[in-house]
mmCIF file of all heavy atoms in Angstrom:
data_model
loop_
_atom_site.group_PDB
_atom_site.id
_atom_site.type_symbol
_atom_site.label_atom_id
_atom_site.label_comp_id
_atom_site.label_asym_id
_atom_site.label_seq_id
_atom_site.Cartn_x
_atom_site.Cartn_y
_atom_site.Cartn_z
ATOM 1 N N ARG A 26 6.656 -4.373 14.087
ATOM 2 C CA ARG A 26 7.452 -3.479 13.261
ATOM 3 C C ARG A 26 6.700 -2.971 12.069
ATOM 4 O O ARG A 26 7.000 -1.949 11.468
ATOM 5 C CB ARG A 26 8.742 -4.219 12.800
ATOM 6 C CG ARG A 26 8.506 -5.329 11.802
ATOM 7 C CD ARG A 26 9.751 -6.054 11.427
ATOM 8 N NE ARG A 26 10.469 -5.376 10.320
ATOM 9 C CZ ARG A 26 11.478 -5.977 9.644
ATOM 10 N NH1 ARG A 26 11.880 -7.178 9.992
ATOM 11 N NH2 ARG A 26 11.999 -5.369 8.682
ATOM 12 N N TYR A 27 5.665 -3.737 11.659
ATOM 13 C CA TYR A 27 4.914 -3.365 10.455
ATOM 14 C C TYR A 27 3.658 -2.569 10.703
ATOM 15 O O TYR A 27 3.051 -2.082 9.755
ATOM 16 C CB TYR A 27 4.552 -4.628 9.666
ATOM 17 C CG TYR A 27 5.705 -5.439 9.164
ATOM 18 C CD1 TYR A 27 5.823 -6.797 9.569
ATOM 19 C CD2 TYR A 27 6.604 -4.939 8.324
ATOM 20 C CE1 TYR A 27 6.939 -7.547 9.136
ATOM 21 C CE2 TYR A 27 7.723 -5.684 7.880
ATOM 22 C CZ TYR A 27 7.803 -7.014 8.323
ATOM 23 O OH TYR A 27 8.897 -7.731 7.876
ATOM 24 N N ASP A 125 -5.959 1.658 -2.495
ATOM 25 C CA ASP A 125 -5.101 0.542 -2.623
ATOM 26 C C ASP A 125 -5.687 -0.372 -3.713
ATOM 27 O O ASP A 125 -6.929 -0.421 -3.952
ATOM 28 C CB ASP A 125 -5.063 -0.291 -1.341
ATOM 29 C CG ASP A 125 -4.225 0.381 -0.218
ATOM 30 O OD1 ASP A 125 -3.665 1.444 -0.467
ATOM 31 O OD2 ASP A 125 -4.206 -0.180 0.880
ATOM 32 N N MET A 126 -4.850 -1.173 -4.342
ATOM 33 C CA MET A 126 -5.358 -2.209 -5.277
ATOM 34 C C MET A 126 -5.279 -3.535 -4.673
ATOM 35 O O MET A 126 -4.196 -3.945 -4.144
ATOM 36 C CB MET A 126 -4.554 -2.180 -6.609
ATOM 37 C CG MET A 126 -5.108 -3.066 -7.690
ATOM 38 S SD MET A 126 -6.865 -2.690 -8.101
ATOM 39 C CE MET A 126 -6.609 -1.317 -9.225
ATOM 40 N N ALA A 152 -3.929 2.857 -6.854
ATOM 41 C CA ALA A 152 -2.651 2.005 -6.961
ATOM 42 C C ALA A 152 -2.766 1.055 -8.166
ATOM 43 O O ALA A 152 -3.864 0.506 -8.366
ATOM 44 C CB ALA A 152 -2.421 1.288 -5.674
ATOM 45 N N GLN A 154 -0.563 -2.307 -10.105
ATOM 46 C CA GLN A 154 0.403 -3.345 -9.789
ATOM 47 C C GLN A 154 1.196 -3.779 -11.008
ATOM 48 O O GLN A 154 0.647 -4.252 -12.015
ATOM 49 C CB GLN A 154 -0.368 -4.565 -9.258
ATOM 50 C CG GLN A 154 -1.151 -4.245 -7.970
ATOM 51 C CD GLN A 154 -2.352 -5.168 -7.773
ATOM 52 O OE1 GLN A 154 -3.052 -5.481 -8.747
ATOM 53 N NE2 GLN A 154 -2.678 -5.522 -6.515
ATOM 54 N N ARG A 176 -0.217 5.308 -7.546
ATOM 55 C CA ARG A 176 0.873 4.641 -6.754
ATOM 56 C C ARG A 176 1.219 3.427 -7.688
ATOM 57 O O ARG A 176 0.330 2.690 -8.010
ATOM 58 C CB ARG A 176 0.417 4.174 -5.436
ATOM 59 C CG ARG A 176 1.421 3.215 -4.719
ATOM 60 C CD ARG A 176 0.839 2.440 -3.560
ATOM 61 N NE ARG A 176 0.390 3.315 -2.562
ATOM 62 C CZ ARG A 176 -0.664 3.040 -1.746
ATOM 63 N NH1 ARG A 176 -1.333 1.924 -1.900
ATOM 64 N NH2 ARG A 176 -1.021 3.865 -0.778
ATOM 65 N N CYS A 178 3.145 -0.123 -7.574
ATOM 66 C CA CYS A 178 3.839 -1.107 -6.707
ATOM 67 C C CYS A 178 3.944 -2.411 -7.544
ATOM 68 O O CYS A 178 3.412 -2.521 -8.572
ATOM 69 C CB CYS A 178 3.053 -1.340 -5.467
ATOM 70 S SG CYS A 178 1.353 -1.960 -5.755
ATOM 71 N N LYS A 179 4.708 -3.355 -7.039
ATOM 72 C CA LYS A 179 4.828 -4.610 -7.696
ATOM 73 C C LYS A 179 3.552 -5.412 -7.662
ATOM 74 O O LYS A 179 3.168 -6.085 -8.642
ATOM 75 C CB LYS A 179 5.962 -5.468 -7.087
ATOM 76 C CG LYS A 179 7.355 -4.961 -7.443
ATOM 77 C CD LYS A 179 8.367 -6.033 -6.973
ATOM 78 C CE LYS A 179 9.787 -5.504 -7.152
ATOM 79 N NZ LYS A 179 10.822 -6.426 -6.735
ATOM 80 N N GLY A 180 2.869 -5.440 -6.508
ATOM 81 C CA GLY A 180 1.662 -6.245 -6.337
ATOM 82 C C GLY A 180 1.990 -7.385 -5.372
ATOM 83 O O GLY A 180 3.021 -8.059 -5.458
ATOM 84 N N ILE A 181 1.042 -7.690 -4.443
ATOM 85 C CA ILE A 181 1.336 -8.624 -3.354
ATOM 86 C C ILE A 181 0.547 -9.901 -3.407
ATOM 87 O O ILE A 181 0.890 -10.839 -2.720
ATOM 88 C CB ILE A 181 1.095 -7.869 -2.028
ATOM 89 C CG1 ILE A 181 1.457 -8.732 -0.752
ATOM 90 C CG2 ILE A 181 -0.322 -7.354 -1.848
ATOM 91 C CD1 ILE A 181 2.825 -9.046 -0.607
ATOM 92 N N TYR A 182 -0.499 -9.989 -4.196
ATOM 93 C CA TYR A 182 -1.406 -11.128 -4.159
ATOM 94 C C TYR A 182 -0.903 -12.233 -5.077
ATOM 95 O O TYR A 182 -0.124 -11.962 -5.995
ATOM 96 C CB TYR A 182 -2.825 -10.698 -4.476
ATOM 97 C CG TYR A 182 -3.341 -9.605 -3.550
ATOM 98 C CD1 TYR A 182 -3.120 -8.271 -3.897
ATOM 99 C CD2 TYR A 182 -3.947 -9.954 -2.359
ATOM 100 C CE1 TYR A 182 -3.528 -7.257 -3.026
ATOM 101 C CE2 TYR A 182 -4.325 -8.938 -1.470
ATOM 102 C CZ TYR A 182 -4.082 -7.573 -1.774
ATOM 103 O OH TYR A 182 -4.539 -6.615 -0.890
ATOM 104 N N ALA A 217 6.311 3.057 -5.278
ATOM 105 C CA ALA A 217 6.181 2.291 -4.010
ATOM 106 C C ALA A 217 6.993 1.014 -4.114
ATOM 107 O O ALA A 217 6.528 0.013 -4.614
ATOM 108 C CB ALA A 217 4.741 2.040 -3.726
ATOM 109 N N THR A 218 8.210 1.059 -3.636
ATOM 110 C CA THR A 218 9.081 -0.132 -3.639
ATOM 111 C C THR A 218 10.179 -0.041 -2.659
ATOM 112 O O THR A 218 10.588 1.063 -2.264
ATOM 113 C CB THR A 218 9.652 -0.324 -5.064
ATOM 114 O OG1 THR A 218 10.417 -1.506 -5.083
ATOM 115 C CG2 THR A 218 10.558 0.868 -5.513
ATOM 116 N N HIS A 219 10.662 -1.213 -2.220
ATOM 117 C CA HIS A 219 11.892 -1.254 -1.353
ATOM 118 C C HIS A 219 13.020 -1.951 -2.157
ATOM 119 O O HIS A 219 13.982 -2.399 -1.611
ATOM 120 C CB HIS A 219 11.640 -2.105 -0.107
ATOM 121 C CG HIS A 219 10.321 -1.863 0.479
ATOM 122 N ND1 HIS A 219 9.200 -2.646 0.238
ATOM 123 C CD2 HIS A 219 9.889 -0.858 1.301
ATOM 124 C CE1 HIS A 219 8.160 -2.177 0.895
ATOM 125 N NE2 HIS A 219 8.525 -1.082 1.546
ATOM 126 N N ASP A 220 12.802 -2.085 -3.454
ATOM 127 C CA ASP A 220 13.801 -2.752 -4.317
ATOM 128 C C ASP A 220 14.746 -1.714 -4.822
ATOM 129 O O ASP A 220 14.414 -0.850 -5.612
ATOM 130 C CB ASP A 220 13.024 -3.424 -5.461
ATOM 131 C CG ASP A 220 13.924 -4.352 -6.321
ATOM 132 O OD1 ASP A 220 15.126 -4.041 -6.408
ATOM 133 O OD2 ASP A 220 13.403 -5.281 -6.942
ATOM 134 N N GLN A 244 7.550 5.823 -2.010
ATOM 135 C CA GLN A 244 6.747 5.333 -0.926
ATOM 136 C C GLN A 244 7.306 4.023 -0.435
ATOM 137 O O GLN A 244 7.717 3.153 -1.198
ATOM 138 C CB GLN A 244 5.298 5.144 -1.380
ATOM 139 C CG GLN A 244 4.619 6.477 -1.872
ATOM 140 C CD GLN A 244 3.175 6.243 -2.239
ATOM 141 O OE1 GLN A 244 2.595 5.123 -2.240
ATOM 142 N NE2 GLN A 244 2.473 7.319 -2.489
ATOM 143 N N MET A 245 7.216 3.884 0.866
ATOM 144 C CA MET A 245 7.663 2.557 1.530
ATOM 145 C C MET A 245 6.721 2.218 2.615
ATOM 146 O O MET A 245 6.013 3.030 3.113
ATOM 147 C CB MET A 245 9.140 2.701 1.995
ATOM 148 C CG MET A 245 10.095 2.981 0.829
ATOM 149 S SD MET A 245 11.789 3.207 1.365
ATOM 150 C CE MET A 245 12.310 1.507 1.584
ATOM 151 N N LEU A 246 6.744 0.928 3.010
ATOM 152 C CA LEU A 246 5.877 0.439 4.118
ATOM 153 C C LEU A 246 6.629 0.631 5.448
ATOM 154 O O LEU A 246 7.856 0.540 5.507
ATOM 155 C CB LEU A 246 5.609 -1.067 3.926
ATOM 156 C CG LEU A 246 4.889 -1.447 2.608
ATOM 157 C CD1 LEU A 246 4.874 -2.986 2.501
ATOM 158 C CD2 LEU A 246 3.518 -0.840 2.533
ATOM 159 N N VAL A 249 9.993 -1.410 6.911
ATOM 160 C CA VAL A 249 10.804 -2.099 5.933
ATOM 161 C C VAL A 249 11.916 -1.171 5.383
ATOM 162 O O VAL A 249 11.711 0.025 5.125
ATOM 163 C CB VAL A 249 9.900 -2.493 4.725
ATOM 164 C CG1 VAL A 249 10.649 -3.260 3.653
ATOM 165 C CG2 VAL A 249 8.715 -3.354 5.231
ATOM 166 N N ARG A 250 13.133 -1.729 5.277
ATOM 167 C CA ARG A 250 14.312 -1.112 4.608
ATOM 168 C C ARG A 250 14.555 0.312 5.053
ATOM 169 O O ARG A 250 14.601 1.247 4.283
ATOM 170 C CB ARG A 250 14.185 -1.128 3.081
ATOM 171 C CG ARG A 250 14.184 -2.494 2.402
ATOM 172 C CD ARG A 250 15.557 -3.209 2.495
ATOM 173 N NE ARG A 250 16.688 -2.474 2.112
ATOM 174 C CZ ARG A 250 17.308 -2.484 0.948
ATOM 175 N NH1 ARG A 250 16.809 -3.281 -0.009
ATOM 176 N NH2 ARG A 250 18.433 -1.869 0.709
ATOM 177 N N ARG A 281 3.109 -9.452 5.091
ATOM 178 C CA ARG A 281 4.468 -8.896 5.215
ATOM 179 C C ARG A 281 5.473 -9.984 5.518
ATOM 180 O O ARG A 281 6.587 -9.976 5.038
ATOM 181 C CB ARG A 281 4.458 -7.833 6.338
ATOM 182 C CG ARG A 281 3.570 -6.651 6.108
ATOM 183 C CD ARG A 281 4.125 -5.635 5.140
ATOM 184 N NE ARG A 281 3.982 -5.931 3.742
ATOM 185 C CZ ARG A 281 2.883 -5.680 2.971
ATOM 186 N NH1 ARG A 281 1.801 -5.100 3.504
ATOM 187 N NH2 ARG A 281 2.812 -5.977 1.731
ATOM 188 N N GLU A 284 6.710 -11.788 2.542
ATOM 189 C CA GLU A 284 7.713 -11.036 1.772
ATOM 190 C C GLU A 284 9.096 -11.150 2.451
ATOM 191 O O GLU A 284 10.094 -10.828 1.807
ATOM 192 C CB GLU A 284 7.367 -9.549 1.692
ATOM 193 C CG GLU A 284 6.268 -9.300 0.756
ATOM 194 C CD GLU A 284 5.761 -7.859 0.963
ATOM 195 O OE1 GLU A 284 5.870 -7.348 2.126
ATOM 196 O OE2 GLU A 284 5.297 -7.246 0.030
ATOM 197 N N ASN A 285 9.082 -11.555 3.725
ATOM 198 C CA ASN A 285 10.302 -11.562 4.454
ATOM 199 C C ASN A 285 10.447 -12.809 5.249
ATOM 200 O O ASN A 285 10.276 -12.837 6.450
ATOM 201 C CB ASN A 285 10.432 -10.361 5.345
ATOM 202 C CG ASN A 285 11.755 -10.154 5.930
ATOM 203 O OD1 ASN A 285 12.684 -10.900 5.606
ATOM 204 N ND2 ASN A 285 11.948 -9.182 6.766
HETATM 205 P P1 FDA B 401 10.760 -6.919 -3.222
HETATM 206 O O1 FDA B 401 9.639 -7.679 -2.704
HETATM 207 O O2 FDA B 401 11.657 -7.431 -4.243
HETATM 208 O O3 FDA B 401 11.567 -6.330 -1.990
HETATM 209 C C1 FDA B 401 12.801 -5.653 -2.152
HETATM 210 C C2 FDA B 401 13.563 -5.784 -0.855
HETATM 211 O O4 FDA B 401 12.864 -5.134 0.176
HETATM 212 C C3 FDA B 401 13.687 -7.232 -0.323
HETATM 213 O O5 FDA B 401 14.790 -7.858 -0.865
HETATM 214 C C4 FDA B 401 13.837 -7.002 1.131
HETATM 215 O O6 FDA B 401 15.147 -6.691 1.468
HETATM 216 C C5 FDA B 401 12.949 -5.817 1.435
HETATM 217 N N1 FDA B 401 11.602 -6.176 1.857
HETATM 218 C C6 FDA B 401 10.480 -6.256 1.102
HETATM 219 N N2 FDA B 401 9.437 -6.548 1.856
HETATM 220 C C7 FDA B 401 9.884 -6.710 3.093
HETATM 221 C C8 FDA B 401 9.302 -6.996 4.389
HETATM 222 N N3 FDA B 401 7.993 -7.235 4.464
HETATM 223 N N4 FDA B 401 10.079 -7.031 5.481
HETATM 224 C C9 FDA B 401 11.369 -6.743 5.410
HETATM 225 N N5 FDA B 401 12.029 -6.479 4.239
HETATM 226 C C10 FDA B 401 11.279 -6.488 3.111
HETATM 227 N N6 FDA B 401 0.579 -4.152 -3.052
HETATM 228 C C11 FDA B 401 -0.627 -4.297 -3.651
HETATM 229 O O7 FDA B 401 -0.868 -5.377 -4.236
HETATM 230 N N7 FDA B 401 -1.586 -3.299 -3.587
HETATM 231 C C12 FDA B 401 -1.304 -2.142 -2.962
HETATM 232 O O8 FDA B 401 -2.205 -1.207 -2.986
HETATM 233 C C13 FDA B 401 -0.056 -1.927 -2.369
HETATM 234 N N8 FDA B 401 0.270 -0.822 -1.724
HETATM 235 C C14 FDA B 401 1.563 -0.600 -1.278
HETATM 236 C C15 FDA B 401 1.962 0.682 -0.781
HETATM 237 C C16 FDA B 401 3.288 0.939 -0.468
HETATM 238 C C17 FDA B 401 3.644 2.256 0.082
HETATM 239 C C18 FDA B 401 4.239 -0.127 -0.671
HETATM 240 C C19 FDA B 401 5.718 0.200 -0.435
HETATM 241 C C20 FDA B 401 3.879 -1.316 -1.127
HETATM 242 C C21 FDA B 401 2.561 -1.599 -1.429
HETATM 243 N N9 FDA B 401 2.171 -2.842 -1.906
HETATM 244 C C22 FDA B 401 0.889 -3.012 -2.439
HETATM 245 C C23 FDA B 401 3.051 -4.004 -1.754
HETATM 246 C C24 FDA B 401 3.882 -4.204 -2.998
HETATM 247 O O9 FDA B 401 3.066 -4.599 -4.059
HETATM 248 C C25 FDA B 401 4.954 -5.271 -2.783
HETATM 249 O O10 FDA B 401 4.403 -6.460 -2.476
HETATM 250 C C26 FDA B 401 5.953 -4.921 -1.706
HETATM 251 O O11 FDA B 401 6.269 -3.563 -1.701
HETATM 252 C C27 FDA B 401 7.243 -5.705 -1.954
HETATM 253 O O12 FDA B 401 7.785 -5.363 -3.208
HETATM 254 P P2 FDA B 401 9.133 -4.479 -3.430
HETATM 255 O O13 FDA B 401 8.893 -3.579 -4.551
HETATM 256 O O14 FDA B 401 9.434 -3.785 -2.162
HETATM 257 O O15 FDA B 401 10.242 -5.533 -3.874
#
Side-chain angles (χ1 to χ4, degrees):
R26 68 182 275 193
Y27 297 121
D125 287 356
M126 187 57 82
Q154 299 152 321
R176 170 196 297 147
C178 60
K179 286 190 186 180
I181 182 69
Y182 303 90
T218 182
H219 319 95
D220 188 331
Q244 298 186 351
M245 297 178 80
L246 300 173
V249 182
R250 293 292 312 261
R281 299 282 80 85
E284 287 167 328
N285 192 2

